[in-house]
Amino acid sequence: QVQLVESGGGVVQPGRSLRLSCAASAFTLSRHVMHWVRQAPGKGLEWVAIISYDGDNTYYTASVKGRFTISRDNSKNTLSLQMNSLRPADTAVYYCAREGLAGHCSRTNCYLSGFDLWGHGTLVSVSS
Amino acid sequence: QSVLTQPPSVSAAPGQKVTISCSGSSSNIGSNYVSWYQQLPGSAPKLLISDNNYRPSGIPDRFSGSKSGTSATLGITGLQTGDEADYYCGSWDSSLSVVVFGGGTKLTVL
């Protein structure tokens, strides 16, 4: 079954770290640009980060730049999000999402068509 | 404050048609593809429309997308109670180098 399954969420104190993982099943991860998207409780979707096929190119939303790192291991069909210096404002459900086959990113820009597969999400709660 | 602007809510009766607008700028909608997502209560988002107006396999032809200049529109015909959900537009922003979403539109089928 073609799917994405996130893991690694939980409750963490402000300033601490957490690593999210996303396991891809029944498709070849290396053929797709991948994203992380989050949704705070009762709020809308907020894009977090994107990574190119080979991991060489990444882009981040301003609020996480320098704190979060997106990475991928195509040999293990896995996407990750390392989150450091967490803040209460980072509290959200985190989704990994697959970009359609036509999407791609270069060093200077991305050309995207849409997120055609989403995981079920994992909840991250940052609280003291 | 979202970069893409959507109406907070729309409503219509079963069987009727509704449109949801998404307004942006030359650096996002004006020069990149728009996609639309449906999020049913308690569920992950699902792709409805990619590449401005392409319907992925399995999406009914009651759903349609269009783009003109720096605005895009999602149309839904033959409304069903099961269409009650939040709808989001999204696009790449070439100036900011980020994906931008609209704030979401809650559809109520009266």
Side-chain angles (χ1 to χ4, degrees):
Chain A
Q1 179 183 357
V2 175
Q3 64 179 354
L4 295 167
V5 179
E6 302 95 337
S7 60
V11 180
V12 61
Q13 293 179 326
R16 303 299 291 264
S17 298
L18 207 59
R19 187 177 183 87
L20 304 183
S21 294
C22 172
S25 300
F27 71 93
T28 304
L29 188 72
S30 62
R31 298 183 66 192
H32 295 268
V33 168
M34 295 296 294
H35 305 263
W36 285 99
V37 178
R38 66 185 179 183
Q39 187 170 33
K43 302 297 185 182
L45 301 177
E46 181 187 21
W47 176 81
V48 175
I50 187 173
I51 187 166
S52 59
Y53 307 126
D54 55 8
D56 284 353
N57 300 297
T58 58
Y59 297 87
Y60 298 89
T61 192
S63 64
V64 310
K65 205 172 292 187
R67 299 189 299 124
F68 289 14
T69 301
I70 187 172
S71 62
R72 64 194 299 160
D73 186 337
N74 288 334
S75 67
K76 296 181 179 178
N77 250 23
T78 300
L79 176 74
S80 298
L81 185 68
Q82 177 66 42
M83 304 185 294
N84 298 331
S85 303
L86 281 161
R87 306 167 180 168
D90 296 318
T91 294
V93 173
Y94 284 72
Y95 297 100
C96 65
R98 185 182 78 175
E99 178 65 33
L101 279 171
H104 61 279
C105 284
S106 67
R107 186 176 53 82
T108 56
N109 208 353
C110 290
Y111 305 88
L112 307 178
S113 58
F115 304 3
D116 68 354
L117 181 67
W118 295 68
H120 57 81
T122 186
L123 177 62
V124 173
S125 181
V126 184
S127 172
S128 53
Chain B
Q1 195 83 357
S2 301
V3 174
L4 303 183
T5 300
Q6 298 180 234
S9 64
V10 296
S11 61
Q16 296 300 303
K17 173 183 177 177
V18 71
T19 60
I20 298 173
S21 61
C22 176
S23 178
S25 68
S26 58
S27 63
N28 42 66
I29 292 177
S31 54
N32 293 286
Y33 285 126
V34 177
S35 52
W36 290 91
Y37 305 89
Q38 177 193 61
Q39 187 174 33
L40 296 169
S43 296
K46 180 176 80 171
L47 178 66
L48 285 180
I49 299 289
S50 67
D51 304 286
N52 301 332
N53 55 21
Y54 177 75
R55 239 182 0 262
S57 173
I59 302 299
D61 59 6
R62 300 189 298 109
F63 295 90
S64 63
S66 64
K67 186 180 98 168
S68 178
T70 59
S71 293
T73 301
L74 174 70
I76 311 173
T77 60
L79 279 170
Q80 303 172 1
T81 55
D83 295 332
E84 287 201 332
D86 293 322
Y87 292 84
Y88 296 90
C89 58
S91 181
W92 177 254
D93 190 299
S94 301
S95 293
L96 301 174
S97 295
V98 297
V99 171
V100 291
F101 284 111
T105 299
K106 183 175 183 60
L107 169 63
T108 300
V109 181
L110 302 167

